[in-house]
Each structure stands twice: as C-alpha cells, then as structure tokens.
C-alpha cells in the first residue's frame, strides 16, 4: 500500500479485497473495533489467500497537539458519515487497565447511512487515522504501513468499516450479533430504564387501589362510611389483622362480600377513630355489628336494629339492649319479647368475653346455636326462648360454669339428646328445655345439678323412666316433665322435694297409683297436674292435705275409679281450676265442692259415671267461668236455679245426662250478661237457647 499526504490529511487506497469467509469477517470486525477503541492503527496482513485485519504489536505513536487532534477527528467524522453504509462507533473510552482482545466495551453503535434498511454495505475504502505531517513514526516490521499518529482515546473516534467486514448482522458486538447488541444497548439506557420503572410503579399503584377498594369498600348513601374512605390502607390493615386474628374462621367469612362479618368489618373501618381503639374494644364492636347485620327487621317499631347503633361512637351509650360495666366492657345483650327480629346467631357472639347476660327471647331467630357460646365463661344467663333455633344443643354449653340465673331454650325446634355435659353446671338454678324435639332419656348427670330450682323439660320426645335420683335435686321448686313418653311409676322420692311448689307430669304413659307420700310431705305444693296418664285406683283422701294448693288440681284423663273424696272441699285456696274429667269416677257430686269459692277458671267433672243431682251448693262458685258436667248419664233431676248466681259464668255444659224440666229463668238472665255457651240435651226445655241441642 502506498501512503500519500495532502494538506496535513492522510488517506489510503486499497484494491478490492477478495471475498473472505464469514467467520473471518467476524474476526476481522472484532479486531477492527478493538483497534479503534484502544487507539491502535489498523494494519493489513496477508494470509495464504485472504486479506484480514491484524493487531499491531508496536507501541502507540506520540500524541498530537490538541488542535491537531480535534481537526483530525473532525475530518474523520465528516469522511465516515458521508459514505453510504458506514457505521459510526461513538464514545469509545479507554479504561484504566490493559484488556485482552475480547475485553472491550462500546457505549453506542450508530448506523450512518443514506439508505436505511440496506442489507449490504456499499463498497468503500478504509479510512486511516489522521496524522500530523510533521510527525512520523518508524515503519512497523510488518509489510503494512500505518499512520504515524492516532487520536487520544478520550476523543470520539469514527471508523468506516468496508464491505469486506460484512453486513450489519455479521458485526460482532461483545460476542453478539447486532440485534442482540441493540437490545442490550436499549436496556442499558438510563432513560429507558426510568420510563419502564415509572410504568411498573403506575401498574402497582393501580393494583393497590383496586385491592383497597375491594377490601375496605366505599361510601354508601345512608351515612355509613366504608373503610377506604376514612382510614388509610396501613391503618386499615392493622385493624383488619386484629379482626381476622380474632375470627374463628381465620377471617374467611369477613372476606366474602355481603356477609354479616364483611359488613361489620366495613362499619369498623368506616370509623376514623378505629385505630385509637384497643383490640378488646375493636373485637367487641365487631361482634355486636355482626349480630346487627345477621338480623332481619320486619318493622321499625320495636327492634334493636332501629336503635342508632351503627352511628354511635360508644356502643355502651343510649342502647336499650346493650349494657356495659364501668370499664366499657359489654356485659349484657338483652333484646327480648319483640317478635320482630329474625336472623341467625353468629359465631362472633363468642367474642364478647365479658358477657354475663344474653337474652334474645321471643324473637324469630333461626339456625343452629353456635358452639362458640361455650367461650362465654362469664355468662350467668342464656335465654334464647321462643325462637326458631334448630339442630342439636352444643355440648359446649356445659362449659358455662358460671351459668346460674337461667338456661332458657324452650319453644324452639331443637333436636337430638340433652347433652350430659349439662351436669357440670353445678350453679344453674333455672333450666328450660321444653317445647323442642329432644329425644332419649334424661342423662344421669342431670341429677347432680344440685342447685337447680326449676326444671322444665316438657313437650319433647324424652323416653325412659323418671329416676329415683331426682331426690338429689333437693332445692327443686318447679318440675315439668309433661308431654313426653316417660313410662313407669311416679317415684315416691319426689316426696323428698319438700320445697316443691309445682309438679307437672301430664301427658306421659305413667302408670300405677298416686303415691300418698306426695300429699303427706309436699305441703308447699301449689300446682299438681298428673293428667293424661294411666294412673288408676282411687283418688287418695290425703289429697286434702295439700292445703297450699292454690292454682290447679288436674287428675283428668286417667283411670281413677271409686267415688270423689269429699275432702276435696278442703282445698279452699284452689283458685284456677279443678279437673277430674274423663276418669271412671262414680257416685254423687260432693256438695263440699261448693266450698271452692276461689275457683275462677273451671270445674270439670265431665266424662265420668257420676250420678245423683247437681248440688245447689255449686251456685256459691260466684267467680267460676266454666262448669262442665256433661257426659255423666247418671245425673238426674233439674238444673238448679242457684247456678244463676254465678254472674261470671260463660259456659254451662250438662248434655249427655238424664236431666229434665226447663232452664231456670235466672240462668236465661245470664244469657244477657255473659253466658255464651249453654249446652243441653234436647229433653230440657229452654226458652233462651239456640235451636241446637244434643
């Protein structure tokens, strides 16, 4: 190659190179780029048959003056950028260490071409570095002649790679092809990374907003503000963590939209002061709100949901159904006898750990009783009477060891057996389980509840016998075992319950005779009902010893025989009813029954085999409403006019007898007062009766 110089510029011309192998072109490209970065002049060497680039082993030439270097660099840039298909290699900087041939970095490769997208580069001659005409370097030992001087590495260098280097796809960049290099270059650009970072941040913010809206809700129209509007996400999460940690299901119900738990948590989060509440108070408010949202209102008159509960800062103020102690702990929830509220009892009731009284009686709550009620260790009264609760009674109720004032579950639809765990309630004084569908026998553990004073288990489907162990309940005052399927005899041990004032055994399949011990020892008895069983024998005369009997005497629908004891007249305190109907009694009606002047509701002797006349002494029962003597074929004579003195009489039934004559005028006068039912045989003349007769 010949070297020529003009006006301080250096240029070279080279014959068209022979076609090189693609791999050799790549190696040549790599070497050329490396030379340019290191400031080493390009040299040409010949192989066996091809031309390729070689790296000079000579030391670099001396530096030019600054002005000359700038001029040379400018001429190189102008020369390179004017050629079609040229590549500009910019910002090549020498690092402060020596590197091997494959250790070089290029900040940017810029394609400079007049025809973008051209796959093949135009033919061009090599561009030699600019040299100073006044400075020359000794020729290298190789056959190529190199420029005497290179620009310093801290000044951008532009090089034009000729066609024999190959198309852009063949240029090696960090051992990669150009497309890969371009991708690497784009990602390394700080501006690109900044834009991508901003986009990612915007996506995260949007996702966070959506999640916050779903979790903390929004604002509704009635003033109940949901969490996201009044409490920030961080604080809201703290509150939610507390509530979810207290939940018995890990918060799964709270996350289900429109569940009582979800609505309650939204109400909590809608309070901007929620973060200032203690964990105990947050949980307490959450439990009450869950009860609120578990209820359905039939009217706005007398239900607790009409109270300003969800609009108050203090749940202990101005609520008729919530009571708190001096520390602000809820100790009573009483919302009974409204018949307006229906719904379910949520598990969250078990979170009211200080609750002492829970009374939701006479409403229309349904569903099963939550087992979490067993967690209310401070509870002394549990009254859920006359609702629509179903399912079995949770055995966990037996864990309420402080239960004393009452366990009231009567009037529901509960099934299954009575849990034996109730025997642990050694302090319980009042237990009402009647009016359900309990089955099985009475658990023997029940007889150890020695503090029990009232025991109502009637109107179920209980079977078995009444255990003699009943005498252990020495404090019993009221016993109601009626309308079950109990069999066997009435245990004489009942006589040991001297405090007993009410004994109800009606509607079973009890047999045998009435133990006389009951009448000899139960001197405090005020109510006795053994009707609708299969008792037989005579009515004991000792019955007259029940001088405290002031409510009812019911021996009806049994198999009692013999005559009515005249001693019944001594029960002068009897004020409600005396029912001896539907037995096998015979004989006359005792005149002593006229002494029962306090009777108000009923005297019924119907359905027996009584004979004789109707005693005129019965006219002394001036407070009586119903006198029923029907279905006694042996009764003869006429209707005594003294019965007209019973001004309160509503029903007089004497059909199915052998009475004759006519209805006294005094009785007809009662038709204008209160007597609405006069039931007679057609053989009795009546000027004030309806056409109907028997």
């Amino acid at each position: 190659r010949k070297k020529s110089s003009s006006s301080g510029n250096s240029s070279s011309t080279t014959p068209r190179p022979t076609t090189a192998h693609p791999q050799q072109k790549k190696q040549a490209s790599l070497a050329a780029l490396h030379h340019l970065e290191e400031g080493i002049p390009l040299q040409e060497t010949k192989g066996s048959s091809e031309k390729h680039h070689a790296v000079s082993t000579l030391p670099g030439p001396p530096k030019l003056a600054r002005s000359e270097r700038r001029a040379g660099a400018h001429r190189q840039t102008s020369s390179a950028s004017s050629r079609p298909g040229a590549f500009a290699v910019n910002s090549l900087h020498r690092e402060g260490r020596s590197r091997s041939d494959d250790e070089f970095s290029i900040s940017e490769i810029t394609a400079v071409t007049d025809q973008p997208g051209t796959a093949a580069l135009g033919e061009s001659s090599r561009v030699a570095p600019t040299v100073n005409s006044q400075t020359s370097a000794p020729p290298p030992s190789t056959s190529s002649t190199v420029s005497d001087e290179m620009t310093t590495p801290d000044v951008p260098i532009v090089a034009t790679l000729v066609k024999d280097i190959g198309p852009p796809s063949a240029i090696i960049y960090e051992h990669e092809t150009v497309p890969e290099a371009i991708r690497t270059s784009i990602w390394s650009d700080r501006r690109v990374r900044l834009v991508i970072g901003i986009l990612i941040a915007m996506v995260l913010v949007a996702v966070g907003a959506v999640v916050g809206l779903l979790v903390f809700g929004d604002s509704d129209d009635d003033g109940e503000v949901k969490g996201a509007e009044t409490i920030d996400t961080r604080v809201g999460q703290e509150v939610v963590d507390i509530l979810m940690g207290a939940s018995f299901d890990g918060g799964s119900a709270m996350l289900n939209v429109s569940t009582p738990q979800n609505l309650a948590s939204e109400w909590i989060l809608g309070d901007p002061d929620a973060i200032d509440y203690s964990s105990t108070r947050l949980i307490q408010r959450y439990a009450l709100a869950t009860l609120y949202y578990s209820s359905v209102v039939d009217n706005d008159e007398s239900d607790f949901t009409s109270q300003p509960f969800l609009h108050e800062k203090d749940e202990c103020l101005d609520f008729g159904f919530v009571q708190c102690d001096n520390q602000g702990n809820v100790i009573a929830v009483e919302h009974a006898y409204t018949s307006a509220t229906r719904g379910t009892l949520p598990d969250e009731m078990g979170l009211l750990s200080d609750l002492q009284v829970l009374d939701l009686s006479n409403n229309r709550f349904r569903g099963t009783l939550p087992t979490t009620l067993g967690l209310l260790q401070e509870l002394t009264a549990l009254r859920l009477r006359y609702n629509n609760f179903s399912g079995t009674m949770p055995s966990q109720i037996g864990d309420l060891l402080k239960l004393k004032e009452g366990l009231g579950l009567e009037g529901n639809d509960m099934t299954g057996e009575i849990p034996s765990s109730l025997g642990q309630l050694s302090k319980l004084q009042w237990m009402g389980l009647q009016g359900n569908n309990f089955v099985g026998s009475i658990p023997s553990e029940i007889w150890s509840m020695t503090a029990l004073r009232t025991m109502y288990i009637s109107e179920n489907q209980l079977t078995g016998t009444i255990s003699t162990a009943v005498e252990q309940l020495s404090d019993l005052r009221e016993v109601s075992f009626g309308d079950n399927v109990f069999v066997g005899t009435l245990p004489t041990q009942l006589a040991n319950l001297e405090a007993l004032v009410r004994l109800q055994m009606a509607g079973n399949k009890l047999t045998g005779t009435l133990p006389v011990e009951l009448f000899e020892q139960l001197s405090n008895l005020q109510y006795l009902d053994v009707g609708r069983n299969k008792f037989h024998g005579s009515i004991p005369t000792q019955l007259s010893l029940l001088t405290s009997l002031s409510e009812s005497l019911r021996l009806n629908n049994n198999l009692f025989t013999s005559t009515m004891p005249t001693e019944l007249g001594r029960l002068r305190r009897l004020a409600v009813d005396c029912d001896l109907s539907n037995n096998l009694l015979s004989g006359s009606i005792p005149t002593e029954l006229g002494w029962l002047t306090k009777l108000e509701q009923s005297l019924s002797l119907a359905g027996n085999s009584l004979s004789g006349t109707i005693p005129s002494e019965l006219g002394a029962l001036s407070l009586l409403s119903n006198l029923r003597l029907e279905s006694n074929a042996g009764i003869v004579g006429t209707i005594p006019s003294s019965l007209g003195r019973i001004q309160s009489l509503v029903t007089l039934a004497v059909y199915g007898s052998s009475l004759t004559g006519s209805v006294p005028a005094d009785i007809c006068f009662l038709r204008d007062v209160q007597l609405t039912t006069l039931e007679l045989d057609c053989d009795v003349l009546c000027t004030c009766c309806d056409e109907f007769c028997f």
Side-chain angles (χ1 to χ4, degrees), residues 204-216:
L204 293 177
V205 170
V207 172
V210 172
V211 172
L213 183 61
L214 292 177
V215 174
F216 301 111

Side-chain angles (χ1 to χ4, degrees), residues 329-646:
N329 301 315
V330 173
I331 59 174
V333 175
E334 298 181 273
H335 178 64
Y337 303 99
T338 69
S339 299
T341 305
R342 53 192 173 92
T344 58
L345 198 61
D347 289 340
E348 284 71 18
M349 293 303 298
L351 297 176
L352 299 174
S353 57
D354 295 298
L355 196 65
Q356 299 176 16
V357 176
L358 176 59
D359 190 351
L360 301 175
S361 301
N362 290 78
N363 283 287
R364 286 186 286 170
F365 285 96
R366 65 186 186 281
T368 59
L369 295 182
T371 59
T372 56
L373 291 177
L375 299 175
L376 303 178
Q377 295 297 304
E378 300 298 321
L379 206 64
T380 61
L382 176 61
R383 304 188 186 101
L384 304 174
R385 302 182 292 175
Y386 304 109
N387 282 281
N388 296 315
F389 290 115
S390 58
T392 59
M393 186 194 310
S395 61
Q396 290 81 355
I397 290 181
D399 297 333
L400 304 176
L401 302 182
K402 292 187 178 181
L403 210 59
K404 178 180 179 181
E405 298 173 12
L407 171 60
L409 300 177
E410 63 266 37
N412 286 285
D413 296 317
M414 304 187 70
T415 58
E417 297 185 354
I418 297 174
S420 60
S421 60
L422 296 186
Q424 301 173 165
L425 306 178
S426 59
K427 296 181 179 180
L428 188 63
Q429 298 180 356
W430 192 95
M431 182 172 70
L433 306 179
Q434 75 265 29
N436 285 282
N437 297 301
F438 292 119
V439 297
S441 59
I442 301 175
S444 59
E445 292 81 0
I446 295 294
W447 310 122
S448 62
M449 302 170 65
T450 55
L452 211 56
R453 296 184 177 185
T454 301
M455 186 177 180
Y456 289 166
I457 58 173
S458 60
E459 300 178 52
N460 284 286
Q461 301 177 33
L462 299 173
T463 57
T465 60
I466 299 174
S467 174
T468 58
V470 67
E471 65 179 343
Q472 298 177 21
L473 308 181
S474 57
D475 286 339
L476 270 180
R477 288 169 169 76
E478 298 185 35
V479 173
S480 179
F481 288 2
D483 293 289
N484 282 287
V485 199
F486 290 122
V487 296
T489 61
L490 203 61
T492 58
Q493 286 79 2
L494 285 171
N496 296 327
L497 306 179
E498 297 181 357
L500 203 62
V501 297
R502 187 179 183 90
L503 179 60
Q504 206 267 34
M505 295 288 179
N508 285 286
K509 296 182 178 181
L510 299 173
T511 58
T513 60
L514 293 179
V516 294
E517 293 88 350
L518 296 180
F519 313 125
E520 292 173 346
Q521 299 181 42
L522 300 180
S523 58
N524 294 312
L525 201 63
Q526 300 176 14
Y527 178 97
L528 176 62
D529 185 357
V530 292
R532 295 180 290 121
N533 281 286
K534 296 181 179 181
F535 292 114
H536 57 82
S538 61
I539 298 175
T541 58
Q542 291 88 344
L543 189 64
S544 62
L545 299 176
L546 300 177
T547 56
S548 296
L549 204 63
S550 58
E551 295 184 36
S552 298
L553 173 62
R554 296 176 181 172
L555 308 178
N556 58 294
N557 294 82
N558 280 284
L559 302 172
F560 291 118
T561 58
S562 190
T563 60
M564 294 175 59
T566 59
E567 289 82 0
L568 289 176
R570 298 179 183 178
L571 303 176
R572 297 186 178 185
R573 299 181 64 179
L574 202 61
V576 180
D577 65 315
C578 179
D579 191 353
L580 281 72
S581 64
N582 299 310
N583 281 284
L584 303 174
L585 297 173
S586 59
S588 61
I589 300 174
T591 60
E592 289 82 0
L593 292 182
W595 299 349
L596 306 177
T597 57
K598 291 185 178 181
L599 272 179
E600 296 181 2
Q601 184 172 319
S602 174
L603 172 61
S604 180
L605 307 177
N608 284 285
S609 300
L610 299 175
S611 59
T613 61
I614 299 175
S616 61
E617 288 81 0
L618 295 183
L621 306 178
S622 59
L623 302 177
L624 195 65
S625 296
N626 300 280
L627 177 59
R628 306 198 67 97
L629 305 175
E630 73 270 17
S631 300
N632 284 285
I635 293 179
V636 296
T638 60
I639 299 174
S641 61
S642 62
L643 297 183
R645 300 199 304 265
I646 307 177

Side-chain angles (χ1 to χ4, degrees), residues 35 38-43 54-62 94 136-148 150:
H35 279 60
E38 296 296 329
I40 302 174
L42 297 176
Q43 297 185 23
V55 179
S56 172
T57 59
L58 295 178
R94 181 187 301 274
S136 62
S141 58
T142 61
S143 59
S144 300
T145 304
V146 299
S147 60
D148 297 327
M150 290 289 296

Side-chain angles (χ1 to χ4, degrees), residues 218-227 229-230 266-267 270-272 293 310-313:
D218 53 8
S219 176
D220 54 15
D221 295 333
D222 59 1
E224 296 180 22
V225 182
K226 307 303 169 64
E229 297 294 332
T230 58
E266 287 183 344
W267 175 68
D271 185 354
Y293 285 114
L310 293 185
H311 302 283
E312 290 290 337
K313 294 296 184 183

